[in-house]
Amino acid sequence: MRKKLRQILGKRFLEAPEDLKAYSVDASPYNFLPEAVALPVNAEEIAEILRLAQQENFPVIPRGAGTATTGASLAPQGGLVLSLLRLNRIIEINQEDLVAVVEPGVFTGEFKRAVEELGLFYPPDPASYEFSTIGGNVACGAGGPKGLKYGTTKDYVLGLEAVTATGEIIFCGRRTMKGVVGYNLVHLFTGSEGTLGVITKLILKLIPKPPSQATIALWLESTEKAAQAFLEILKAGLFPSTAELLDDTTLSAVKNLLKKEIHPKAQALLLLEFDGAKKQVEEDLSEAQKTLSNFGMKLDIAVNKKERERLWQARRLISPALKKIAPGKLADDVVLPRSKLPEFLSFAKKIGEKYGLTVACFGHLGDGNIHVNILFEKEDESKAREARNEILNKVLASCGTISGEHGIGFTKKGFLPKELSPEVLLLMKKIKEVFDPQNILNPGKIF
Amino acid sequence: MRKKLRQILGKRFLEAPEDLKAYSVDASPYNFLPEAVALPVNAEEIAEILRLAQQENFPVIPRGAGTATTGASLAPQGGLVLSLLRLNRIIEINQEDLVAVVEPGVFTGEFKRAVEELGLFYPPDPASYEFSTIGGNVACGAGGPKGLKYGTTKDYVLGLEAVTATGEIIFCGRRTMKGVVGYNLVHLFTGSEGTLGVITKLILKLIPKPPSQATIALWLESTEKAAQAFLEILKAGLFPSTAELLDDTTLSAVKNLLKKEIHPKAQALLLLEFDGAKKQVEEDLSEAQKTLSNFGMKLDIAVNKKERERLWQARRLISPALKKIAPGKLADDVVLPRSKLPEFLSFAKKIGEKYGLTVACFGHLGDGNIHVNILFEKEDESKAREARNEILNKVLASCGTISGEHGIGFTKKGFLPKELSPEVLLLMKKIKEVFDPQNILNPGKIF
Ligand SMILES: Cc1cc2nc3c(=O)[nH]c(=O)nc-3n(C[C@H](O)[C@H](O)[C@H](O)COP(=O)(O)OP(=O)(O)OC[C@H]3O[C@@H](n4cnc5c(N)ncnc54)[C@H](O)[C@@H]3O)c2cc1C
Ligand SMILES: Cc1cc2nc3c(=O)[nH]c(=O)nc-3n(C[C@H](O)[C@H](O)[C@H](O)COP(=O)(O)OP(=O)(O)OC[C@H]3O[C@@H](n4cnc5c(N)ncnc54)[C@H](O)[C@@H]3O)c2cc1C
């Protein structure tokens, strides 16, 4: 096997321990040394590799930038990590068709900028967009703050080229805005975490860039109030592009990190963004101010880029701030129907109190996607797991879902039967068999 | 079989020839008498029926309002037509969650109105919305004029309950705005034309209703100019909700039907709609007028409902107008990348001239979805088929797709291998086998 892979890839076949190490981690707390790493440059090479994997029965783990939080890009069963980073061309950005053709290894931030330079817009914006790939975003169905108004990555994938486990290069979907010829394989690949095929090309939908943007930072006396304020905004018929939440725990962690008192009494922060034509944004801002006049302790507004970035500072510091609280972290990205948000946020807080653990809630309030981070010292791990269990049960009892964007990988496999019925799980497993009869593509993930 | 079905359904099992006749047609030119018709009232009854069908191996054809244009809801192999019209409750419209729960047999127009009464908006608007069902819309992945800005039916389906061919009631997807737990079965069902399962409940996404709307009717000297004018609108960064086209042939047919000279010299009509906040719409209108100043012979603007409807009159009369030209019709709803629209429209016209046939092009220019109708006298049918073949080949050579919303049914099965590779077709057939191992659900459709 190694000999043939060396023939296919030459120097782009890595076996040295120090090379393998770089591919042994993702953003989960786990690490596994793969047996080897391949750096193919095109779909044909990938097809050759997969045909070989099929013959010799070794696992192949597709990998973008390795920022998955669920172990999705790791090699717990050994095998070959297949890096897509060398397929990194932006092939086309077509201003008339409002379509882009890209290879999967393009970094999302680079792509977003290239698109915006042409006056167009690719809305999906996972917080990791500067250091994750478009292919990884599609494979995970990544979301981001703009999901409220613009949807998630999945809503921008029109067509794709993929290599199946059996080594065939297929094209699904289309280059057009719509189409209903045959089953929707594009959205089967989207979110399939590298288990159905290796994505080698993407046709993405673009939209015109909204000319104007504005940010509101509303500092509030409690987390529940923040959630209620957001519901009032929706009730008023306003449709922000973004509504991000920092709950009390998250906000105080950020304050500690910053070592300066931003709005000392505030217990929660709600960040709203509006975009569109200039007049539309002005109108939205004044409507929003009216609607929010009964909420919050202070309301900051920013329309220019620099000021807006200042308002976002607290949001961007969440990750490092929470790291300081405790070494252990159980992180979920649950989604709730919006009406259930205030109650859920109170519930999460009470669970923290019950177990004596820090539970921080933040994230994409707009589409109901709350990042629940349970932070704990080593000795409290089992308590933390119990707390998580209660929280996930509450989510499901509230008609929610246990993951809005991070997916299952292998760290959350155990929770799948909580959400999906045995019949649905069986259908999914059979679909996996259709695409990958020998289970060589990212085995042990999702199921 | 009949005995058991009578037991399950009582009077809601139809066998009388005059009853069967009503279910023997759809909007295609074909008709086939089914062997019987079932009018179940809930998912449990449907599950019982499908288990029986599995045991006794008879075809089951799910049917909404029977407005499919492709024979998708017909029974060419006999069997039982399963009407969903008795599952017709709007179960919930939730203003906080921006979510609705409906049964599949609800008429789309009725649903749209119920939603709008609450200040919300369900954008998908197939021209047939007053007389087709939500379930049929989802099963076909229906689109409509608003697709340009708002996408198609598929973009509004969050979750669904379905009965599989083996008689299991399953729930896929979710009630939340996003989610990535397991494979995306929701979008596999969407557009599957009743071949994978019977949809018995739908969770649909709603958005706030845009407060203001305006219509522009631009009368032009040629079809190509209309397509170019639309591309200029996009280039100017404007994003209409709708851009509908009537080409020269279509417009003159409508003029003949109306028997009155609307804009005598105009050879094409472009209908644009803008929606959003009042000021936004005003700004868009004035920008659009500027952009279009070099195009067209006359530009009408309407902002109130009655005036807007008047501008839409020509669009609504297309179907009856074209019927008067010739008895035969080959209708396709191809989609092209927008940049290819002007060239394609010229090409379709030339094909008409080449074969001496009337070729009318109209429809959703906005998302590139052109309805191409080849009209012919009985004796010219083979010529018409040749012409259609050339047109579909051109579409595929232009990176287009042969159906944007009407789907395949059985009338277009022959064209599937033109667009999909053998490998992709095989994957789709295997997926069909996973859901329906005995091929009892709408057999002979799509493949
Ligand atoms: C600080 C931080 C913030 C984050 N914020 C967000 C956020 O806001 N929203 C969000 O959704 N996620 C977020 N994430 C998670 C992660 O960044 C995303 O899931 C991202 O999409 C992963 O992209 P990647 O290139 O790193 O993929 P990888 O981690 O390399 O791979 C992820 C999965 O995709 C598969 N895969 C990758 N490329 C391909 C391909 N070409 N073909 C087939 N399968 C492939 C892998 O096998 C694996 O299953 C965040 C992560 C971090 C560390
Ligand atoms: C004048 C006219 C204008 C039209 N305009 C448009 C348009 O603008 N855009 C557009 O997209 N289409 C259009 N259509 C086509 C048609 O109306 C749509 O496809 C519509 O979605 C069909 O809905 P229906 O309830 O009539 O479904 P039916 O015709 O009864 O069924 C269509 C398909 O869906 C399946 N099906 C129906 N209900 C279910 C269910 N509950 N579970 C599983 N499968 C089911 C059937 O088996 C069949 O395969 C038009 C048709 C006409 C006659």
Side-chain angles (χ1 to χ4, degrees):
Chain A
M1 149 208 171
R2 288 182 185 267
K3 206 176 132 198
K4 287 198 194 131
L5 286 169
R6 268 181 229 121
Q7 273 169 10
I8 301 172
L9 294 157
K11 283 193 183 157
R12 293 179 283 101
F13 180 63
L14 311 181
E15 299 173 276
E18 63 277 17
D19 285 334
L20 303 188
K21 212 166 164 205
Y23 295 87
S24 69
V25 290
D26 63 5
S28 77
Y30 301 91
N31 66 77
F32 299 95
L33 266 196
E35 294 167 57
V37 174
L39 303 173
V41 293
N42 58 41
E44 289 71 26
E45 283 186 356
I46 295 171
E48 257 192 281
I49 294 168
L50 283 166
R51 281 194 297 267
L52 187 66
Q54 179 95 345
Q55 272 163 33
E56 314 215 348
N57 212 37
F58 59 85
V60 175
I61 301 98
R63 182 181 172 102
T67 69
T69 60
T70 59
S73 34
L74 298 184
Q77 308 187 5
L80 179 74
V81 163
L82 186 91
S83 167
L84 276 307
L85 290 180
R86 301 275 174 111
L87 279 80
N88 60 1
R89 288 177 307 153
I90 297 178
I91 297 169
E92 183 189 352
I93 299 177
N94 191 304
Q95 288 173 273
E96 281 193 314
D97 292 345
L98 294 179
V99 152
V101 184
V102 300
E103 290 186 327
V106 173
F107 279 84
T108 308
E110 181 197 334
F111 175 61
K112 281 172 78 73
R113 275 187 296 279
V115 164
E116 285 178 38
E117 267 164 31
L118 299 173
L120 301 177
F121 190 39
Y122 173 74
D125 58 346
S128 56
Y129 71 82
E130 287 296 0
F131 46 92
S132 66
T133 65
I134 282 280
N137 292 177
V138 173
C140 292
K146 291 248 183 294
L148 166 52
K149 179 167 172 180
Y150 293 106
T152 64
T153 304
K154 125 178 162 289
D155 301 307
Y156 295 85
V157 191
L158 298 172
L160 56 83
E161 181 190 85
V163 185
T164 62
T166 50
E168 277 144 8
I169 303 174
I170 61 168
F171 178 75
C172 328
R174 48 200 66 83
R175 195 198 156 95
T176 54
M177 286 304 117
K178 66 190 200 193
V180 290
V181 173
Y183 299 142
N184 186 341
L185 300 189
V186 169
H187 287 107
L188 203 54
F189 276 109
T190 307
S192 68
E193 304 190 16
T195 62
L196 298 181
V198 180
I199 298 166
T200 48
K201 203 181 283 172
L202 285 159
I203 303 190
L204 300 172
K205 172 176 161 175
L206 307 173
I207 60 173
K209 191 177 167 191
S212 194
Q213 295 192 296
T215 306
I216 290 180
L218 181 69
W219 306 85
L220 298 111
E221 45 277 56
S222 76
T223 308
E224 294 71 39
K225 275 272 167 74
Q228 282 156 5
F230 167 61
L231 290 178
E232 284 305 314
I233 287 282
L234 289 186
K235 266 191 218 149
L238 286 161
F239 207 46
S241 59
T242 298
E244 293 288 303
L245 169 78
L246 277 71
D247 79 346
D248 47 358
T249 311
T250 310
L251 187 58
S252 90
V254 169
K255 285 179 182 176
N256 286 342
L257 185 80
L258 277 174
K259 290 202 179 88
K260 86 176 180 216
E261 272 301 347
I262 38 169
H263 299 292
K265 288 192 188 137
Q267 297 293 320
L269 172 59
L270 177 64
L271 287 164
L272 298 174
E273 292 220 325
F274 292 93
D275 67 13
K278 196 154 172 284
K279 280 188 191 157
Q280 165 88 55
V281 172
E282 283 165 14
E283 204 173 313
D284 285 350
L285 280 181
S286 84
E287 272 300 312
Q289 274 179 284
K290 245 185 273 167
T291 308
L292 296 175
S293 60
N294 292 325
F295 286 92
M297 307 157 67
K298 183 154 192 321
L299 184 148
D300 298 322
I301 292 189
V303 287
N304 74 52
K305 202 170 171 199
K306 219 173 132 191
E307 282 293 292
R308 286 177 48 230
E309 275 175 10
R310 205 180 49 78
L311 295 186
W312 274 87
Q313 188 194 29
R315 173 68 178 90
R316 263 195 310 275
L317 293 175
I318 294 176
S319 275
L322 292 181
K323 277 215 182 91
K324 294 209 154 185
I325 295 184
K329 181 172 95 170
L330 285 177
D332 288 287
D333 72 311
V334 304
V335 195
L336 290 110
R338 292 174 182 123
S339 60
K340 302 278 168 66
L341 287 168
E343 188 203 341
F344 173 75
L345 291 164
S346 309
F347 178 86
K349 200 170 177 55
K350 282 197 204 108
I351 289 292
E353 286 159 10
K354 173 172 166 189
Y355 290 92
L357 296 168
T358 305
V359 177
C361 289
F362 62 91
H364 320 315
L365 191 70
D367 48 26
N369 187 196
I370 304 291
H371 294 269
V372 182
N373 284 8
I374 305 177
L375 305 162
F376 59 90
E377 302 296 331
K378 199 88 210 111
E379 64 271 22
D380 290 332
E381 177 152 358
S382 70
K383 268 206 276 178
R385 294 204 177 272
E386 269 179 67
R388 175 197 223 175
N389 214 31
E390 281 205 49
I391 286 174
L392 295 183
N393 287 343
K394 175 73 177 178
V395 168
L396 292 172
S398 313
C399 300
T401 175
I402 60 172
S403 179
E405 46 184 40
H406 288 178
I408 303 302
F410 76 86
T411 63
K412 298 192 186 173
K413 288 196 296 186
F415 300 125
L416 220 57
K418 267 184 191 288
E419 180 160 338
L420 304 179
S421 71
E423 291 80 15
V424 165
L425 265 171
L426 188 63
L427 285 171
M428 290 181 179
K429 283 181 190 161
K430 285 190 183 162
I431 289 174
K432 164 75 174 169
E433 270 174 47
V434 165
F435 284 82
D436 181 12
Q438 282 178 237
N439 193 25
I440 56 166
L441 262 176
N442 219 358
K445 307 300 167 59
I446 301 185
F447 307 110
Chain B
M1 149 206 169
R2 289 183 184 266
K3 206 176 136 201
K4 286 196 194 133
L5 286 169
R6 267 179 231 123
Q7 272 167 11
I8 302 172
L9 294 157
K11 281 195 181 155
R12 293 179 283 102
F13 180 64
L14 311 181
E15 301 174 276
E18 62 278 18
D19 286 332
L20 303 188
K21 210 162 168 209
Y23 295 87
S24 68
V25 290
D26 63 6
S28 77
Y30 300 91
N31 66 78
F32 298 94
L33 265 197
E35 292 167 58
V37 173
L39 303 173
V41 293
N42 57 40
E44 289 70 26
E45 283 186 356
I46 295 172
E48 257 193 281
I49 294 168
L50 283 165
R51 282 194 297 267
L52 186 67
Q54 180 96 345
Q55 273 164 33
E56 314 215 348
N57 211 37
F58 59 84
V60 175
I61 301 97
R63 182 182 173 101
T67 68
T69 60
T70 59
S73 34
L74 298 185
Q77 308 187 5
L80 179 74
V81 163
L82 186 91
S83 167
L84 277 307
L85 290 180
R86 302 275 174 110
L87 279 81
N88 60 0
R89 287 178 307 152
I90 298 177
I91 297 169
E92 183 188 352
I93 299 177
N94 191 303
Q95 288 174 275
E96 281 193 314
D97 292 346
L98 294 178
V99 152
V101 184
V102 300
E103 290 185 328
V106 173
F107 280 84
T108 308
E110 181 196 335
F111 174 62
K112 282 173 78 74
R113 274 187 296 278
V115 164
E116 286 178 38
E117 266 164 30
L118 299 173
L120 301 177
F121 190 38
Y122 173 75
D125 58 345
S128 55
Y129 71 83
E130 288 294 2
F131 47 91
S132 66
T133 65
I134 282 280
N137 292 177
V138 173
C140 292
K146 291 247 183 295
L148 167 53
K149 180 168 174 182
Y150 293 105
T152 64
T153 304
K154 122 177 164 292
D155 302 306
Y156 295 84
V157 190
L158 298 172
L160 56 84
E161 180 190 86
V163 185
T164 62
T166 50
E168 278 143 8
I169 302 175
I170 61 170
F171 178 76
C172 329
R174 47 200 66 82
R175 196 198 155 93
T176 54
M177 285 304 117
K178 67 191 200 193
V180 290
V181 173
Y183 298 143
N184 186 342
L185 300 189
V186 170
H187 287 106
L188 204 54
F189 275 109
T190 307
S192 68
E193 303 188 18
T195 62
L196 298 181
V198 180
I199 298 166
T200 49
K201 204 181 283 172
L202 285 158
I203 304 191
L204 300 171
K205 172 177 162 176
L206 307 173
I207 60 174
K209 191 176 166 190
S212 193
Q213 296 193 296
T215 305
I216 290 180
L218 182 69
W219 306 85
L220 299 113
E221 45 277 56
S222 76
T223 308
E224 294 72 38
K225 275 274 166 74
Q228 283 155 6
F230 168 61
L231 290 178
E232 284 305 314
I233 287 281
L234 288 185
K235 265 190 219 150
L238 287 161
F239 208 46
S241 59
T242 297
E244 292 288 303
L245 169 78
L246 277 71
D247 79 346
D248 47 357
T249 311
T250 311
L251 187 57
S252 89
V254 170
K255 286 179 183 178
N256 286 341
L257 185 80
L258 278 174
K259 289 203 180 88
K260 85 177 177 211
E261 272 302 345
I262 36 170
H263 298 292
K265 286 192 188 138
Q267 297 292 319
L269 171 59
L270 178 63
L271 287 164
L272 299 174
E273 293 220 324
F274 292 93
D275 67 14
K278 195 155 175 284
K279 280 188 192 156
Q280 164 87 56
V281 172
E282 282 165 13
E283 203 174 314
D284 285 349
L285 280 180
S286 84
E287 271 301 312
Q289 273 179 286
K290 246 186 270 167
T291 308
L292 295 175
S293 61
N294 292 324
F295 285 93
M297 306 158 67
K298 182 153 192 321
L299 184 148
D300 297 322
I301 293 189
V303 287
N304 73 52
K305 200 168 170 200
K306 217 173 135 193
E307 282 294 292
R308 286 177 49 232
E309 275 174 11
R310 205 180 48 79
L311 295 186
W312 274 87
Q313 187 193 31
R315 173 70 179 89
R316 264 197 309 277
L317 292 175
I318 294 175
S319 275
L322 292 180
K323 276 214 184 94
K324 293 209 153 183
I325 295 184
K329 181 171 94 169
L330 287 176
D332 289 287
D333 73 311
V334 304
V335 195
L336 290 112
R338 290 172 183 126
S339 60
K340 302 278 169 66
L341 287 169
E343 188 203 338
F344 173 75
L345 290 164
S346 308
F347 178 86
K349 198 170 177 56
K350 281 197 204 108
I351 289 292
E353 285 158 10
K354 175 173 164 186
Y355 289 93
L357 296 167
T358 306
V359 177
C361 289
F362 62 92
H364 320 315
L365 192 70
D367 48 25
N369 188 196
I370 304 291
H371 293 269
V372 182
N373 284 7
I374 305 176
L375 306 163
F376 59 89
E377 303 296 332
K378 198 89 209 110
E379 63 272 22
D380 291 332
E381 176 152 359
S382 68
K383 269 205 276 179
R385 296 205 175 271
E386 271 178 65
R388 174 197 224 175
N389 215 31
E390 282 204 49
I391 287 172
L392 294 183
N393 287 343
K394 175 73 177 179
V395 167
L396 293 172
S398 313
C399 300
T401 175
I402 60 171
S403 179
E405 45 184 41
H406 288 180
I408 304 301
F410 75 87
T411 62
K412 297 191 187 175
K413 288 196 297 185
F415 299 124
L416 220 58
K418 268 185 193 285
E419 180 159 339
L420 304 179
S421 71
E423 291 80 16
V424 165
L425 265 172
L426 188 63
L427 285 171
M428 291 181 179
K429 283 181 191 162
K430 284 189 182 162
I431 290 174
K432 164 74 174 169
E433 271 174 44
V434 165
F435 284 82
D436 182 12
Q438 281 178 237
N439 194 25
I440 56 165
L441 262 176
N442 219 357
K445 307 299 167 61
I446 302 185
F447 307 110

